[in-house]
Amino acid sequence: MEKTEWMKNYLKTHNVALTGFMGAGKSTAAKMMSRMFDMKPVEMDALIAEREGMTINEIFAKFGEAYFRAKETALLKELSCENGRIISCGGGTVLRDENVALLKKNSRIVLLTATAETILERVKDSDDRPILNGHKDVDFIGALMEKRRRAYEQAADIIVATDKRSIEDICLEIAESLMRLEECDV
């Protein structure tokens, strides 16, 4: 069966959740996969910001990180009742066990990875990442990535490296990996 047709059938009963460190390519991959496979994209950070009527930076500044993380969990509760979505999770979403359990209800979790150097190159001109503000350097990024690595890897069903690859290749690898994973589960 062709990848596109397989993904459309798969999405009748599943979501695909893209996780990983900020700048790993989650948003870009979600947009491309939504076009390639006729999926409904959900950009968690953008949806939370829209619902709150403020930017992520403003949410963090006004209410703190714990408030934002609670909003992530509430959104995941909604999404756990839907299918056919490509969910671009925030960089810290899978750090909460409750969030991973919600995602596992009806999603396959895809961890996108990149080196600290690649991450810095991708986020260096962005001020929309409150955890990195004032810390945009390879050492800080590398240390934070290492601190989160275990949680990311334990949550993941599939791991895909994004360094020096086209977004099309990344999305095709995700689809192929999902197909192989489902074949093993049958």
Side-chain angles (χ1 to χ4, degrees), residues 69-122:
R69 298 298 174 203
K71 292 297 180 182
E72 281 182 324
T73 301
L75 178 55
L76 287 174
K77 286 178 183 174
E78 287 178 45
L79 295 173
S80 70
C81 299
E82 301 174 5
N83 294 318
R85 307 256 186 229
I86 178 75
I87 303 167
S88 177
C89 299
T93 302
V94 298
L95 301 179
R96 290 179 102 176
D97 291 339
E98 179 181 9
N99 291 349
V100 174
L102 288 165
L103 285 168
K104 292 278 185 181
K105 283 178 70 172
N106 68 333
S107 301
R108 286 298 191 170
I109 300 175
V110 179
L111 170 59
L112 300 181
T113 65
T115 64
E117 292 79 12
T118 297
I119 298 293
L120 178 59
E121 183 60 31
R122 291 176 181 170

Side-chain angles (χ1 to χ4, degrees), residues 22 37 46 66 69 106 131 136 144 173 176 178 180 185:
M22 58 195 92
F37 303 116
R69 298 298 174 203
N106 68 333
I131 291 175
K136 288 186 188 161
L144 187 54
E173 181 179 339
E176 289 167 1
L178 287 169
R180 282 193 304 274
D185 283 352

Side-chain angles (χ1 to χ4, degrees), residues 23 28 30 39 50 59 69 79 120 139 142 150 161-162 167:
T28 305
M39 303 171 83
E50 178 184 314
I59 295 168
R69 298 298 174 203
L79 295 173
L120 178 59
D139 290 339
R150 184 173 176 175
T162 65
I167 194 61

